[in-house]
Amino acid sequence: MTPAPSDSVLSSVISRTGHAARAAWRLALDIALPPLCPACREPLGGDGGLCAPCWSKLSFIAPPYCERLGIPFVYDPGPGILSMQAIADPPAYTRARAAVRYDEVARGLVHAFKYADRLDLAPVMGRWMAQAGAPLLADADALVPVPLHWRRLWARRFNQAAALAEVMSKSAGVPVEVDLLRRTRATPQQVGLARSERARNVEGAFRVPAERRTAVKGRRLVLVDDVLTTGATVDTCARALLRAGARDVDVIVFARVVDPSGAPI
Ligand SMILES: [Zn+2]
């Protein structure tokens, strides 16, 4: 007479079957959706982020840079020195910092994040931003993501700036305020516009709603966006916040154009 299988044998068979089913399911998913590097479109070995060669090609911004604009200097002029650009055309915001230069690799990453639903990239991008902007976050009362117009938000389903702000908020312990700024009109895409056109394009496009003015007054705010090109958008946002009584406005972005005249978007 064959002895009945013990409980432990049964449970091990069940667990093996379950494990095999899960493995098969994972394999089917991998075949259907091989993860690609968002910058170069090569298949990825790991689970998300960039491939190793692209990772090493990202150009992180480190000091020395302009204290005001965060534009890297080719040599170290000494502490507190401003760039010619900051002196000739000072922005409304106090300081801007970016994690990386906006180049081909950063562009691939940002486009995947923004237009291909790669929200899984937010944690790593947000962490780099928190590192690049650590002194600004230490002084901040709240993070203010640059808002999308509701029509664009509806089409894209998420505000990429708000997603990045949420990640920074967790690591820096600074709250996110999503409704301090409102986009009053859908501005045409900034892509392909010259510096002066960009400034005109966003002029007066943001305002602080009357019921949120008390949340702005006297506070030190950090604007958050994915890319800074000429700075027209964050400058307009900073003006609106300062007009509503903000004490100080800083800016943290993921990537910034270092030479706006020569960089294709
Ligand atoms: Zn790659």
Side-chain angles (χ1 to χ4, degrees):
M1 182 178 156
T2 321
S6 71
D7 279 352
S8 70
V9 170
L10 261 181
S11 67
S12 120
V13 168
I14 290 165
S15 120
R16 268 205 307 276
T17 316
H19 184 78
R22 277 198 302 276
W25 177 240
R26 262 204 307 276
L27 186 66
L29 278 181
D30 284 351
I31 290 166
L33 298 165
L36 299 179
C37 170
C40 70
R41 316 299 299 157
E42 287 294 314
L44 278 177
D47 52 355
L50 287 172
C51 74
C54 284
W55 187 273
S56 69
K57 274 186 275 178
L58 264 180
S59 167
F60 287 90
I61 294 177
Y65 46 58
C66 168
E67 181 54 31
R68 191 86 197 263
L69 301 178
I71 297 173
F73 289 134
V74 283
Y75 66 96
D76 192 349
I81 299 295
L82 300 184
S83 58
M84 285 309 292
Q85 202 179 324
I87 295 163
D89 187 14
Y93 51 81
T94 306
R95 296 171 290 181
R97 295 293 181 266
V100 301
R101 282 175 192 250
Y102 192 69
D103 55 15
E104 276 307 307
V105 183
R107 181 172 175 268
L109 196 60
V110 168
H111 278 226
F113 173 53
K114 222 159 140 170
Y115 305 116
D117 273 344
R118 290 291 308 272
L119 261 174
D120 58 301
L121 295 171
V124 66
M125 292 167 75
R127 269 201 305 277
W128 291 334
M129 291 165 74
Q131 249 166 49
L136 285 59
L137 291 170
D139 294 340
D141 294 320
L143 303 177
V144 182
V146 170
L148 289 175
H149 189 262
W150 65 267
R151 241 176 292 158
R152 192 159 288 153
L153 180 63
W154 189 74
R156 204 179 284 163
R157 289 183 293 151
F158 73 100
N159 175 355
Q160 75 283 354
L164 296 170
E166 287 297 340
V167 175
M168 286 199 286
S169 171
K170 278 196 199 90
S171 77
V174 179
V176 181
E177 298 268 17
V178 287
D179 56 355
L180 294 192
L181 276 176
R182 195 164 294 160
R183 201 154 191 146
T184 52
R185 57 188 167 84
T187 51
Q189 294 271 19
Q190 297 279 69
V191 176
L193 296 183
R195 189 181 170 80
S196 59
E197 290 170 328
R198 280 173 183 254
R200 259 202 312 279
N201 189 24
V202 292
E203 208 176 81
F206 300 90
R207 67 180 178 81
V208 176
E211 70 274 16
R212 300 300 281 135
R213 290 180 89 91
T214 49
V216 169
K217 209 168 165 53
R219 295 181 87 197
R220 292 166 303 183
L221 304 171
V222 172
L223 281 163
V224 178
D225 210 354
D226 53 354
V227 177
L228 187 152
T229 308
T230 62
T233 301
V234 284
D235 202 60
T236 310
C237 289
R239 273 176 218 286
L241 291 168
L242 290 166
R243 263 202 311 271
R247 181 170 138 195
D248 189 57
V249 180
D250 284 328
V251 175
I252 302 177
V253 297
F254 172 68
R256 73 160 301 143
V257 170
V258 170
D259 175 19
S261 55
I265 306 293

